[in-house]
Amino acid sequence: MSRALRRGGAALSLLAGLSLDVAGTATQARAQGAPDAASTVLRDDRRAPVILGATSAPSSEIVDESGLRYYAAQRQNERVQTEIARLRRRYPNWTVPTDLDTLKPSPPEEAPLWDLFTAGRVNEVRAAIAARQAADPEWRPSDDLARKLNRGTLRSEVKAAEAKGDWDRIRARVDAAPDTLRNLDIDIAWTVAEAYARTGYTAQAVNAYRTILIGQTDTALRLATIQKAMANLPMAQVEPLLAMGHSAADGSSEFQAIRPDVTRARIAAVLHEEPAGKIEPADLAALSDAVRKAADPAELSLLGWYAYHRRQFREALDWFKAAIARGGDARIATGLALSLRELGQEREAEEVAYAWRGPSVTNAALYLDMMGRRLTRPPVAAVDPARLDRFAKLVLMTTSGEGAQALGWYAYNACQFEAAADWFQRASAWKPQEAAVLGYALTLSRLKKSREFLEVVNRYDGLFPTVVDLVLPAPDAQASGPCDPVRDPPAARAAAAAQVRVPKPVPAAVLGRALPVRRGEFPLPVAAENPFRFPEPSERGREADFLRDAKALQPLIARRVPGVPAMPYERYGFTLLPAWNGMDRPTSQAALPLPPAGTLAHADAPNLTQGDPSRTAEAHDGDRFGPFDAASDRSRTDSRSTGLDR
Amino acid sequence: MSPLRRRLAALLLVPLLALPAAAQAPAPPDGVGEASSRPAGPPTMFNAIGDIGAWRSYRSRFVTPEGRVVDTGNGRISHSEGQGYGMLLAVAAGDRDAFQRIWGWTRANLMVRPDALLAWRWEPDKRPGVADVNDATDGDILVAWALAEAAEAWSDEGYRLAGRRIAVDVARRTVLFKAEGGPLLLPAIAGFSAEDRADGPVVNLSYWVFPAFPRLAALAPEFDWARLNTAGLDLMTRARFGTSRLPTEWIAMRGGVPKPAEGFPATFSYNAVRVPLYLAMAGYEDRKAYEPFVKLWSASGSAGMPILDINSDQTVGQLQEPGYAAVAALAACAGTGAALPPSFAEPAVSENYYPATLHLLALAAANTRYRSCLGR
């Protein structure tokens, strides 16, 4: 035991080789920051933002001229004039069609039907037709009436389905009768295209928009069509439609008026890592000016995330600051905090994330990770009491294993082992990863709590090599940590080595050599279940109707766990039982393989050479966890230089 | 002791002694509150099991006082899936004490990985208890989902934070966002990718926990969960093999075209039985999606529901316990509007963990989304 106690700091030489990802979310937040915010800006992240503002709204309106056309065909001039007057009142920009004189009359017996139709009483028209056909099976309405009636029916059906969001129904309706697609009113054509887009029929949606553009000459309606397409389709699908724009005499596109919308949509696509047309600097500058003037927080932050995406953090910071000043929300605060951190203003970043931790768990995680990093990163410096106190409170409130572990190491490196034990105990309950359990075992060792120390080491036999290593002689026992008053005199170490005994329960025949640990230290039978819970469960459970689990004998020989490297005692010729799946060899040294190719984490992994088939261990923020002497100075010529006590 | 060290000691100890039960977060600038950032979503699982007796019976058979969910049909081991189901059902029963126990056990015993994912398998009376540090993505997703539900139900930011960390690592480490025919959800970090297998990536359709994705999107909005969800629905329509038009448990996605995966039995079995359950729990309304399942199960006799070999179309086994029939009844309800039988509301008291779990989940889904099939 004494060996383990004294070796506290020195044994950590292995820690630097561990791959730990306690605060991985910090990096993740950095890497993922841009898309994160993009979805903030866009109400629906599959859709490009479209601003149908006053400046670019179509000037033409959809005018139902069917009644007018009927009366004209019937040469009922009085009614024609009345209808023209009505339409003019309702649609001031409407112009009288020039072809009214050429229309042919429909049969006179249809006149009442047309009256009903003109009045919008479509169901009554249908009823009247049915009644007429019941009396006279040969009778058919004129083609003109039938076509208009069908169009009217389609319109009302499409509108009703659109109101209910039943896009499948719209798609099914037009697919069932493709003829109806010809000469649609443009608002219905838009809705049909949207139905295709929303139900995943992208190619048909593109076709529908293309058809509209081919048939439509009104510039305002063409612009609106492009805007609808941008709202409903990935930008890559919209770019070919944009290319259908006519060029004016001066070479400018007819779509110039919606250039800012196009730029905005392209930015959104870039933030979603989707293909889109090139964003020209002039377009970006124009959009920036417009956004600065309008000062809408969502728009401001979109440009913030775009700057962040391009790693122009100073610019990103300015946009996010402006967005926050204009009433931006918690996600914009995330952008602000991340930009500050990238600019090295970590203190300010911490304040922003802390202030906004309530409305967004992302900010809470960001704050905890930034503070955790601050507490465990050498060179060490004391943290202001108020700052530390609020961090500790949040760690306890959220039962953050990562935060508890950071506080554990902070206390450990300050040689406050009682506090370290309390924090590591919580870390071991909330997130018992190797670094946390190692910290706990080391701290118990420092506190000379040998029973608890041995229980932890034995519990994690087979799982955490660095923890088990604490009961074995150190390959490098020269060093000591900043909290050690004196180094072990060589004579004392020799005496300790003499106390090493073979533990009895391991069958002698299996062992080539004796395991160099003290009798009664390892292996010991311990419960496999981790007993820690903070807060403790209520008493109620004792009486409640839970399953009583019969416990068998606690085994002494560990078995392999797939994904775990060799146990340190294997170097003495000891071996482990086969794994649950029969595997009997340790996993390669990398404690955690790279995430699979194609995942975001894989793409972000540092130092990955292309084509290197061997997955190397991923470097993590978590590498920082450990006593500072071990983490900061591998050679440890003077391990006291980084201690807190100076 | 130097002044610095004394100060540190005081700081580190004080919070342990006096922690306000609910440390109040100061209001953020501009008065943006919780509600504004949490739009209303699908119906929550909270209190979705109307029958507390059924939950108590479940708890007494499968949950230890420590919070371990025991797979009684499988050597009394535990796994991340079972812990996730246990947590979810505890929320659905409104049983916070049980939830806290199960979550407490889960994190203390399975969260041993350096990332936020869970070791998938744990065995009692072994050294060490963790049997495999690889994860199982469905277990990860279930635990994160349950944490999201619990965070809403009991206003606990700790649950939300833990759920977010898991959701982030599921998205970052197990989803192939740019795969052909994707995004694809790998069943685990290790063993199923294109590098690991000649026919990889290999996926399992029942790991797309459809009702969970809107919740995960609220926890980790920076990832495109909706697209992952859609890809799963799309895969369901494409991964229909043989004359039965049913998916196999394991599906190879090399080249983007689904095929039954090499080295696994090409069966529709214990895993895939959950596909229509999750569809129904998510409120998926396209009745055509349920057709192959309803067709298979409507022909089931008293021997149980068939385990089907997709290639030969032969029945190679039976899902015998009554909990499975609850899934079939729910699928028929969602797919055809069929009324749920009286036995649906009365889970058996003697079956194993897995069918018992599926039954309670189906009951929760019926209570929240299909009351008409219950005759209410």
Side-chain angles (χ1 to χ4, degrees):
Chain A
M1 190 66 225
S2 57
R3 171 167 301 274
L5 289 172
R6 280 195 300 274
R7 281 174 44 235
L12 265 290
S13 56
L14 289 176
L15 190 67
L18 274 179
S19 306
L20 305 164
D21 187 19
V22 171
T25 1
T27 3
Q28 289 150 14
R30 192 173 61 229
Q32 285 297 313
D36 178 357
S39 55
T40 339
V41 174
L42 312 178
R43 254 157 246 105
D44 179 340
D45 63 0
R46 293 299 307 152
R47 292 168 210 295
V50 169
I51 313 295
L52 283 163
T55 51
S56 59
S59 56
S60 301
E61 288 167 282
I62 314 300
V63 178
D64 184 357
E65 297 172 349
S66 48
L68 176 66
R69 287 174 176 279
Y70 167 74
Y71 297 131
Q74 300 293 333
R75 305 285 181 264
Q76 299 184 28
N77 287 334
E78 199 173 316
R79 284 188 164 181
V80 167
Q81 293 312 318
T82 312
E83 181 68 2
I84 286 175
R86 185 183 74 82
L87 292 174
R88 276 198 173 132
R89 269 199 310 280
R90 184 146 178 214
Y91 309 103
N93 294 328
W94 176 72
T95 51
V96 182
T98 53
D99 61 345
L100 292 181
D101 296 341
T102 64
L103 299 172
K104 291 201 186 87
S106 63
E109 76 269 17
E110 278 187 2
L113 300 179
W114 280 107
D115 286 340
L116 286 172
F117 181 78
T118 310
R121 291 148 74 178
V122 174
N123 288 339
E124 288 173 55
V125 179
R126 287 197 177 282
I129 290 174
R132 174 86 196 242
Q133 285 180 327
D136 176 7
E138 297 298 306
W139 185 84
R140 293 276 177 282
S142 69
D143 288 350
D144 195 30
L145 179 60
R147 192 172 62 244
K148 293 223 168 92
L149 193 54
N150 282 338
R151 275 175 66 169
T153 313
L154 177 70
R155 161 177 289 276
S156 52
E157 281 180 17
V158 166
K159 286 285 176 195
E162 183 188 14
K164 283 195 289 184
D166 192 351
W167 303 100
D168 278 315
R169 187 183 175 82
I170 297 174
R171 183 176 52 74
R173 173 72 173 79
V174 293
D175 278 355
D179 280 356
T180 56
L181 274 176
R182 264 178 279 157
N183 300 318
L184 284 178
D185 294 335
I186 195 165
D187 60 333
I188 298 300
W190 283 337
T191 307
V192 168
E194 181 171 357
Y196 278 126
R198 282 180 179 260
T199 52
Y201 290 77
T202 308
Q204 285 89 334
V206 173
N207 259 332
Y209 287 120
R210 182 177 291 122
T211 308
I212 298 172
L213 287 175
I214 289 170
Q216 184 56 251
T217 53
D218 184 298
T219 301
L221 291 177
R222 289 169 62 80
L223 285 175
T225 303
I226 294 290
Q227 289 183 307
K228 300 268 183 198
M230 286 195 297
N232 294 316
L233 289 172
M235 203 49 201
Q237 311 293 327
V238 180
E239 299 288 350
L241 299 176
L242 280 172
M244 291 172 71
H246 305 309
S247 291
D250 63 356
S252 67
S253 165
E254 63 167 328
F255 296 144
Q256 192 60 39
I258 53 166
R259 202 72 194 163
D261 291 349
V262 173
T263 307
R264 209 180 271 117
R266 284 177 177 161
I267 289 176
V270 167
L271 292 179
H272 281 98
E273 302 194 347
E274 287 170 3
K278 189 169 184 293
I279 298 165
E280 301 293 343
D283 288 334
L284 183 62
L287 179 65
S288 298
D289 286 345
V291 166
R292 241 178 242 115
K293 281 200 194 88
D296 171 57
E299 298 264 293
L300 291 162
S301 74
L302 177 71
L303 289 173
W305 288 114
Y306 185 54
Y308 190 90
H309 182 81
R310 291 183 301 157
R311 305 189 62 76
Q312 295 174 338
F313 301 116
R314 175 66 59 190
E315 210 184 318
L317 179 64
D318 290 343
W319 286 116
F320 287 127
K321 272 186 179 166
I324 285 277
R326 306 296 297 199
D329 65 8
R331 293 211 206 173
I332 294 171
T334 308
L336 188 61
L338 289 170
S339 301
L340 285 166
R341 192 178 66 169
E342 290 291 347
L343 290 166
Q345 294 171 247
E346 298 192 4
R347 200 62 191 80
E348 291 83 353
E350 182 191 316
E351 290 302 324
V352 171
Y354 183 77
W356 287 87
R357 72 195 181 285
S360 155
V361 69
T362 308
N363 291 336
L366 185 59
Y367 165 72
L368 289 170
D369 289 345
M370 282 194 293
M371 262 315 273
R373 180 191 294 251
R374 168 67 190 79
L375 291 181
T376 52
R377 178 183 50 197
V380 73
V383 174
D384 174 60
R387 251 174 103 196
L388 202 57
D389 188 51
R390 72 179 185 182
F391 175 66
K393 277 186 175 143
L394 190 63
V395 166
L396 289 174
M397 191 187 93
T398 58
T399 66
S400 162
E402 294 82 356
Q405 193 193 155
L407 285 163
W409 287 118
Y410 186 66
Y412 186 93
N413 287 311
C415 312
Q416 295 176 28
F417 300 118
E418 295 284 352
D422 285 343
W423 284 116
F424 279 132
Q425 213 170 35
R426 279 158 180 78
S428 300
W430 297 335
K431 183 82 183 72
Q433 61 199 119
E434 189 158 9
V437 173
L438 179 64
Y440 186 47
L442 279 173
T443 307
L444 290 172
S445 170
R446 289 281 188 170
L447 291 169
K448 301 188 169 31
K449 295 189 173 177
S450 37
R451 189 178 56 81
E452 292 94 329
F453 167 79
L454 290 173
E455 190 167 318
V456 169
V457 171
N458 279 280
R459 175 164 303 124
Y460 292 101
D461 179 20
L463 193 62
F464 293 153
T466 57
V467 176
V468 171
D469 204 37
L470 295 180
V471 291
L472 298 174
D476 166 19
Q478 302 297 316
S480 57
C483 306
D484 293 325
V486 282
R487 293 184 178 183
D488 297 350
R493 279 193 284 115
Q499 294 174 317
V500 165
R501 295 286 187 280
V502 185
K504 263 187 179 167
V506 183
V510 176
L511 306 178
R513 293 153 72 181
L515 187 59
V517 295
R518 289 180 59 167
R519 180 199 296 269
E521 284 190 353
F522 188 90
L524 297 176
V526 293
E529 283 185 273
N530 179 352
F532 290 139
R533 303 286 191 283
F534 295 94
E536 303 270 347
S538 72
E539 289 295 305
R540 188 156 86 73
R542 301 236 175 115
E543 287 77 44
D545 36 8
F546 283 97
L547 169 70
R548 299 291 153 182
D549 205 11
K551 303 274 196 290
L553 282 178
Q554 294 152 342
L556 288 172
I557 303 179
R559 60 178 182 162
R560 294 254 177 245
V561 178
V564 172
M567 284 294 118
Y569 48 76
E570 291 186 63
R571 63 178 179 254
Y572 299 106
F574 292 83
T575 187
L576 288 84
L577 300 173
W580 73 276
N581 58 1
M583 197 190 75
D584 60 0
R585 300 189 64 77
T587 305
S588 67
Q589 264 328 98
L592 184 73
L594 259 190
T599 58
L600 295 167
H602 182 94
D604 292 345
N607 308 322
L608 179 70
T609 39
Q610 282 287 330
D612 177 7
S614 66
R615 291 184 191 173
T616 49
E618 197 174 356
H620 290 293
D621 276 359
D623 286 345
R624 72 186 188 273
F625 284 114
F628 288 124
D629 56 325
S632 61
D633 186 357
R634 301 285 296 275
S635 63
R636 283 171 295 176
T637 48
D638 179 7
S639 59
R640 288 165 175 255
S641 61
T642 55
L644 263 186
D645 44 358
R646 59 180 58 215
Chain B
M1 190 188 258
S2 73
L4 171 63
R5 281 180 60 178
R6 259 202 311 278
R7 205 166 71 228
L8 285 169
L11 283 172
L12 287 160
L13 288 169
V14 164
L16 294 180
L17 300 173
L19 174 76
Q24 287 298 310
D30 299 314
V32 176
E34 297 277 313
S36 66
S37 61
R38 309 246 163 81
T44 69
M45 286 290 285
F46 189 41
N47 287 332
I49 300 177
D51 183 353
I52 292 306
W55 160 248
R56 289 207 178 119
S57 165
Y58 181 96
R59 195 177 63 181
S60 70
R61 284 177 291 150
F62 310 117
V63 184
T64 69
E66 290 75 30
R68 182 166 93 83
V69 178
V70 178
D71 185 347
T72 53
N74 200 5
R76 306 185 70 77
I77 70 164
S78 292
H79 30 63
S80 53
E81 169 215 278
Q83 298 300 126
Y85 282 143
M87 289 163 64
L88 204 54
L89 291 174
V91 178
D95 186 346
R96 187 171 188 180
D97 177 74
F99 178 89
Q100 185 57 38
R101 279 171 204 277
I102 302 170
W103 165 229
W105 190 94
T106 305
R107 64 198 312 201
N109 288 283
L110 300 185
M111 298 195 76
V112 295
R113 294 171 52 87
D115 55 28
L117 305 177
L118 286 76
W120 78 272
R121 184 181 174 98
W122 196 95
E123 297 181 20
D125 311 317
K126 293 286 184 348
R127 181 185 177 104
V130 171
D132 200 327
V133 296
N134 201 9
D135 71 316
T137 315
D138 67 334
D140 299 329
I141 290 174
L142 288 167
V143 171
W145 175 24
L147 284 164
E149 295 280 352
E152 289 298 315
W154 296 304
S155 303
D156 188 308
E157 287 305 302
Y159 296 155
R160 199 185 312 278
L161 177 70
R164 172 179 162 83
R165 292 203 189 271
I166 297 171
V168 165
D169 270 357
V170 166
R172 283 182 44 78
R173 294 172 177 272
T174 71
V175 178
L176 308 175
F177 274 105
K178 294 189 174 165
E180 273 184 284
L184 295 178
L185 184 65
L186 287 172
I189 291 268
F192 297 91
S193 69
E195 299 155 302
D196 290 328
R197 294 175 52 99
D199 63 345
V202 161
V203 300
N204 187 317
L205 195 48
S206 74
Y207 283 36
W208 263 267
V209 186
F210 296 114
F213 294 133
R215 299 292 179 206
L216 302 193
L219 291 175
E222 66 266 46
F223 303 103
D224 201 341
W225 299 99
R227 207 153 67 85
L228 180 63
N229 186 72
T230 306
L233 295 173
D234 181 51
L235 179 60
M236 190 180 62
T237 62
R238 293 193 296 139
R240 290 189 168 172
F241 309 120
T243 53
S244 65
R245 312 305 293 149
L246 286 163
T248 51
E249 307 265 272
W250 300 93
I251 300 165
M253 292 300 293
R254 177 60 56 103
V257 180
K259 295 185 192 69
E262 300 286 331
F264 294 97
T267 53
F268 174 81
S269 184
Y270 293 95
N271 273 295
V273 70
R274 295 179 296 184
V275 173
L277 171 66
Y278 289 155
L279 283 180
M281 291 183 80
Y284 192 61
E285 287 175 355
D286 183 357
R287 293 191 162 190
K288 286 197 298 295
Y290 299 91
E291 267 171 23
F293 309 105
V294 173
K295 185 168 173 233
L296 175 74
W297 292 333
S298 62
S300 306
S302 57
M305 289 147 59
I307 296 173
L308 205 67
D309 183 303
I310 296 299
N311 292 329
S312 68
D313 225 15
Q314 294 296 304
T315 298
V316 294
Q318 300 283 347
L319 306 175
Q320 288 173 332
E321 295 176 78
Y324 299 113
V327 175
L330 184 69
C333 156
T336 69
L340 292 160
S343 60
F344 184 84
E346 289 161 14
V349 292
S350 59
E351 61 190 334
N352 277 309
Y353 143 82
Y354 188 58
T357 301
L358 299 184
H359 196 150
L360 286 191
L361 290 172
L363 193 56
N367 281 332
T368 49
R369 292 191 184 269
Y370 302 96
R371 296 181 73 84
S372 61
C373 296
L374 283 166
R376 290 180 215 160

